[in-house]
Amino acid sequence: MSDTAHYRFQSDQARRLARQVTDAAVREKLLEMAEEYDRYADLIEARSIEQVPAAVAAH
């Protein structure tokens, strides 16, 4: 599993759990965690896209 897929999976799991809990504070924290996981995945994707043009230009 790639790092991006891992963080997307964790984000999905946090959102699923948030839908199941009744405590509002816990739900909010889980949704915050989901957003953080998505941000990590986005950063990894952005870095990999930036590296591809550099690698192509080097050849």
Side-chain angles (χ1 to χ4, degrees), residues 24-47:
V26 172
R27 184 182 314 114
E28 183 63 29
K29 190 62 177 173
L30 286 164
L31 293 173
E32 288 174 12
M33 289 171 57
E35 289 298 318
E36 282 293 313
Y37 285 128
D38 279 335
R39 279 195 285 276
Y40 292 146
D42 290 344
L43 284 170
I44 292 168
E45 286 176 351
R47 287 182 181 159

Side-chain angles (χ1 to χ4, degrees), residues 1 4 7 12 49 52:
M1 178 182 286
T4 303
Y7 286 120
D12 183 56
I49 291 169
V52 169

